[in-house]
Amino acid sequence: MKLREFAKQLGLSPTTVSRALSGYPEVSEATRARVASEAMRLGYRPDINAVRLKTGRAGAIGVMMGRSGEIHFAEFVSGMAQRLETADTDILITPITAHNDDDEIQAYRRLVESRRVDAVIIHSPRPRDPRIEMLNSLGVPFLVHGRSETEHVHAWLDIDNENAVRRSTEHLLDLGHRRIAMINGLRGKTYSIHREQGFRLAHQERGLTADPNLMVCDKFSDESGFRHARSFLERANAPTAIVAGSTMTALGVYRAVRSLGMTVGQDVSVIAHDDVFPYLTAENMVPSLSTTRSSMRAAGTRCAELTLQLIAGRAADEVHELWPVELILRESTAPPP
């Protein structure tokens, strides 16, 4: 089916259909969704070679896959795929094993200068992220999944990490807990900094001070959750509650509590952030896990949409989205024993 024929069936102009499939911001969301749905139903796909020849685009968005966080990365990319399925845009995943900033910067530079991608999505930024400065200098569209405090203009989508941990900690404090531990994400990342700010602020608002000896940073994993939780709980003045950075971390916390002959929700309260994995659900953990909730897959879908808009010409300073986080209370949090 040719573009003109497809457009005629929809009662739209070929230009409108083409722009809808390419993610141009001037096309309404309702029209874009309708065109995408009909393209799927009728099996319409543009001649990708003709499109690339006409536009000069590579037809791909680049993302880097690091050495950790594979589960979160897989969910995010699955969300991207949901949006890009009807946009004739591929996802180019480049593995990165960089050991320092310079190596990572060069990996991004090679990706962009190879002209294999039209845009790039950056994950887990730092407050002064050199990748943002470099990508700005190259003039390539890019989106930051997270936020940075750099002076360089950048499009971003982030969740309210500070308020997420603040609400979690407030809930525990309201229950009567005063010795609360926090197993945060990787040190130096903006999201970890914001989460620590929320943790400290919840204490400060009640005239309390968060114990720095009960705060650690590490990757999100069952192993790190077990190791840090066990270390906390074996102390003479052990915490009565733990804030975990992810459901994966919470799995390790649950194991640590059980290994010491204790019970989650009775001897120790646990609350975590849930990125909504289909294969690890907080409500099916025993006991069910209290969480702050925001879907990583939904973030991937939206990031793909916003990146398409950037490719189509939308200004980066117009793309700033901060998603609220839902607090869901279940069985793993209760007053201290």
Side-chain angles (χ1 to χ4, degrees):
M1 184 181 294
K2 302 293 185 182
L3 174 62
R4 290 187 180 278
E5 181 184 350
F6 177 55
K8 184 177 181 180
Q9 292 213 26
L10 296 178
L12 299 171
S13 71
T15 299
T16 297
V17 170
S18 177
R19 287 177 174 268
L21 291 173
S22 299
Y24 279 78
E26 60 264 32
V27 179
S28 71
E29 180 62 26
T31 299
R32 187 201 64 74
R34 180 185 168 218
V35 171
S37 175
E38 287 299 291
M40 179 79 70
R41 185 179 70 84
L42 298 172
Y44 171 74
R45 300 187 68 84
D47 183 335
I48 195 65
N49 290 325
V51 170
R52 291 174 180 175
L53 184 63
K54 180 178 179 180
T55 64
R57 295 178 182 171
I61 295 172
V63 289
M64 294 282 187
M65 183 177 72
R67 292 170 291 172
S68 61
E70 290 85 358
I71 295 176
H72 295 81
F73 182 81
E75 274 299 289
F76 184 87
V77 170
S78 294
M80 287 183 64
Q82 289 179 356
R83 172 60 186 94
L84 299 179
E85 183 179 12
T86 58
D88 286 295
T89 300
D90 298 324
I91 305 170
L92 180 59
I93 299 174
T94 302
I96 181 170
T97 57
H99 296 282
N100 55 58
D101 289 347
D102 290 340
D103 289 343
E104 187 172 1
I105 288 294
Q106 289 308 312
Y108 276 94
R109 183 180 293 276
R110 285 194 300 272
L111 176 64
V112 172
E113 292 180 345
S114 70
R115 301 180 63 85
R116 293 179 295 163
V117 297
D118 300 309
V120 174
I121 296 178
I122 297 176
H123 294 277
S124 301
R126 285 165 290 179
R128 302 291 179 184
D129 200 301
R131 296 173 297 178
I132 293 175
E133 180 179 2
M134 186 272 295
L135 291 172
N136 260 311
S137 70
L138 293 179
V140 63
F142 68 95
L143 179 81
V144 179
H145 181 211
R147 279 175 288 170
S148 180
E149 297 172 5
T150 175
E151 66 276 10
H152 297 282
V153 174
H154 61 285
W156 55 265
L157 180 147
D158 196 10
I159 66 171
D160 193 346
N161 283 289
E162 179 179 318
N163 196 46
V165 173
R166 179 178 174 180
R167 293 178 67 190
S168 296
T169 309
E170 287 174 343
H171 168 61
L172 295 172
L173 291 168
D174 289 343
L175 288 173
H177 294 276
R178 291 299 178 267
R179 294 280 296 169
I180 304 173
M182 180 185 184
I183 305 175
N184 204 349
L186 293 174
R187 188 177 305 279
K189 303 295 186 180
T190 305
Y191 73 86
S192 293
I193 295 171
H194 288 171
R195 290 183 181 189
E196 181 177 327
Q197 290 171 350
F199 186 71
R200 291 182 180 276
L201 187 58
H203 283 81
Q204 291 170 7
E205 289 179 340
R206 287 161 172 76
L208 304 170
T209 301
D211 187 347
N213 295 315
L214 293 178
M215 301 164 64
V216 294
C217 291
D218 208 335
K219 63 181 180 180
F220 296 139
S221 70
D222 173 271
E223 183 276 331
S224 65
F226 177 84
R227 176 164 41 85
H228 292 301
R230 177 110 187 185
S231 173
F232 289 143
L233 295 172
E234 287 178 333
R235 298 178 185 181
N237 192 13
T240 60
I242 298 176
V243 177
S246 74
T247 48
M248 289 298 298
T249 305
L251 277 179
V253 174
Y254 271 44
R255 282 202 301 120
V257 172
R258 288 194 297 266
S259 73
L260 294 171
M262 296 164 33
T263 302
V264 172
Q266 296 180 23
D267 303 300
V268 182
S269 287
V270 181
I271 192 166
H273 181 68
D274 180 16
D275 288 303
V276 194
F277 299 131
Y279 35 80
L280 176 59
T281 56
E283 57 268 27
N284 289 336
M285 294 174 66
V286 181
S288 58
L289 176 65
S290 293
T291 62
T292 52
R293 192 168 193 247
S294 182
S295 169
M296 182 66 75
R297 183 170 296 211
T301 299
R302 183 59 178 164
C303 283
E305 170 63 34
L306 293 173
T307 304
L308 288 174
Q309 293 179 17
L310 293 170
I311 293 171
R314 186 175 180 183
D317 59 5
E318 295 178 0
V319 182
H320 296 156
E321 291 193 9
L322 183 63
W323 286 12
V325 174
E326 182 181 9
L327 177 65
I328 303 174
L329 301 180
R330 299 188 180 93
E331 300 170 331
S332 67
T333 50

